[in-house]
Amino acid sequence: MTANIPSLLTMMIPSLGLAAAIDYPSTRKADVTEELHGTKVPDPYRWLEDDNAAETKSWVAAQNEVTQSFLKTVPHRDEIRKRLADLWNFERTGAPQEYGGKWFFTHNTGLQNQSVLKVSDTLDGEGRLLLDPNTLSADGTVALAHFTPSEDGKLLGYSISRGGSDWNEILVRDVATGKDTGDHLQWVKFSGISWAKDGSGFFYSRYDAPPEGAALTQKNEFQKLCFHKIGTPQSEDQLIYERKDQPKWGFGGGVTEDGKFLVIHVSEGTDPKNRLFYRPVDGDKVIELLADADAEYDFIGNYDSVFYFRTDLDAPRRRVIAIDVTKPERSAWKEIIPQSKDLLQEASMVGGKLVVEYLKDAKSAVTVYDPTGTKVRDVDLPGIGSAAGFHGREKDKQTFYTFTGFTDPGAIYRYDLDSGTSTLWNRPKVGFDGSSYETKQVFATSKDGTKVPLFIVHKKGLTLDGSHRTLLTGYGGFNISITPAFSVGRAVWLERGGVLAVANLRGGGEYGSEWHLAGTRLKKQNVFDDFIAAAEWLVNEKYTSSKKLAIQGGSNGGLLVGACMTQRPDLYGAALPAVGVMDMLRFHKFTIGWGWEPDYGSAENPEEFKALLRYSPYHALKPGTRYPATMVTTADHDDRVVPAHSFKFAARLQECQAKDGPPVLIRIDTSAGHGAGTALSKMIDKTADEWSFLEAVL
């Protein structure tokens, strides 16, 4: 009954020209059945949820051994990895931030596992090393998760993550000496660092310490907003706000630029609808300004008592409003920038202006307004792609933004707020010729007639004969917009003759709250229908064929891949589901999983249970079905989507795969998590393995 008894399955790998015998580890099936709303649901691999069990660890080791043995047979694996490393080896600099006359920016010489943090007395100075996360672990798996200097630039608050976990530790460094002060805060998660105006300390959010051994699986509830005074132990931190009657409420505290108010963003899971409270910094009473959770309210900034918000209240594509907190009644609210035909994605206050980033069919457009909402000008962007940034403070005369595209590694631009001119500040030198490729946007028609945007990238002069390996990816969830962006991994895919397709699915945020809600809860199937329609379009237009089409997605995108490969296994040649949510009946029982219920619904609800059971990848698998070649990927420190989702799905998929079907593998990384902060060497290894797998099976 152990996890390492092999069962022999032999399959033909056409592109390798040989019969590859894969000894899958035999996975124990337990007699576990749960009755939900009158339906009996088997869960034979539930034992894999215990990541600390010796049997689970043995299973993980055995599966990794099988996967690596297979990948070693791929002829071009070393060549692919070398090209990835060579292309990734370019100097990268982050957008600069000014505090107290000093400029702070991240920097990577090329193949450093983690970018370092530098500080300079001048904007164009090379700067000196302030913090090097690479020295904090031997394998580069400690990452700088977040940093915020104090207003005067004398102290740096920074958080680190170990092994890819969402858990952070906050430390403080003296900028002048480069030495830590001794302040050390633990059990921090989903938190920023917001300094008091005088630099005496900062606001942050934390949870109580979990039980021993449960840090990566226990539910995260009852978050607290605290204030840490520099030079004191965490045990003496001041509790600013908590709600013992609301275990699922999360708090983010930020001090306004004028230092007068602490703004408290109150969220419940991933629901875009939130609450907004505030407290005078020198007071002790929290005022519930927006307490109904009737819309999304994103605080932009303030002029004394007048607070500016980006909101989707009565505006699914968002608008900007102003509320005078001394006259908070709704009848006194003012609309500053009305809703337009395009999605208002972001808004910031800088240099006495409102800079607003729009999405036009998932492409960026930026407009500058004055505080009354009068248009000043459109920002002349370098081309079609994605712009981000435009942050700063009231006194600033300039701001910075990044601009990138699928084949453009991007650059950082300095934007003069008075003249409206953009000046190149930094452009990385990357050994990739983007001019050899073209990007187009098309629209596929989904099952219900909805037009679904689809970006397609490939070498110029492509012949549409259905012969090209094509990678289709998407996300479709949590109001997140997928926009053009450069990826070294995808650049290598393109160099090797592949076609890249990126679908903008319902459930995302590309067209506002209506587009998002059309892919949630009982309407989640729309997301999968959109993706299937995009795949069919690529085949029908002869970019590729089903046997040459691979689908890829991570996290909610991993769910997307899992659902689509179980619903239409005939449509794809390969699948790469990464860190996916695969058990839709139990996701809410681990870490922050309960927070996804606004998008997915809950198995506790009888109607939503039926919908979840229909598409849950783990439960949708059917014995004897020929599924596409699949390599599931996950990581042992993923405490966002716990690896048990991938473990159970892979075990069930190996059981159900047709006897003459293609390979079903799982790759489980160590000292890595959901993705953020992953060491570069691990990213290169994982991408090399993914492309090697696809070249072997397509």
Side-chain angles (χ1 to χ4, degrees), residues 433-451:
D433 181 13
S435 65
S436 301
Y437 303 85
E438 61 178 293
T439 300
K440 64 181 72 172
Q441 188 179 48
V442 301
F443 292 83
T445 302
S446 194
K447 186 176 181 179
D448 63 358
T450 299
K451 298 297 183 183

Side-chain angles (χ1 to χ4, degrees), residues 564-630:
C564 289
M565 65 178 281
T566 53
Q567 292 182 18
R568 285 293 307 277
D570 60 303
L571 188 53
Y572 325 101
L576 294 174
V579 293
V581 188
M582 299 304 200
D583 184 342
M584 300 309 297
L585 305 186
R586 290 176 60 78
F587 67 84
H588 59 296
K589 296 180 179 292
F590 304 97
T591 62
I592 201 64
W594 57 262
W596 313 329
E597 290 178 3
D599 249 55
Y600 297 151
S602 171
E604 309 294 332
N605 177 297
E607 190 176 10
E608 292 175 344
F609 160 75
K610 291 179 182 178
L612 290 165
L613 181 60
R614 275 195 297 271
Y615 72 76
S616 177
Y618 173 57
H619 301 93
L621 291 163
K622 295 179 175 60
T625 303
R626 185 182 178 87
Y627 291 104
T630 304

Side-chain angles (χ1 to χ4, degrees), residues 8 140 397 504 534 545 606 608:
L8 181 64
K397 299 296 183 184
N504 297 110
S545 62
E608 292 175 344

Side-chain angles (χ1 to χ4, degrees), residues 26 63 113 125 151 176 204 218 256 271 280 301 328 349 355 374 389 403 437 440 492 515 613 623:
S26 179
Q63 291 285 353
N113 276 316
E151 183 72 17
Y204 74 103
Q218 180 178 277
T256 56
D271 193 341
M349 295 179 68
V355 183
T374 301
F403 189 83
Y437 303 85
K440 64 181 72 172
V492 172
W515 185 258
L613 181 60

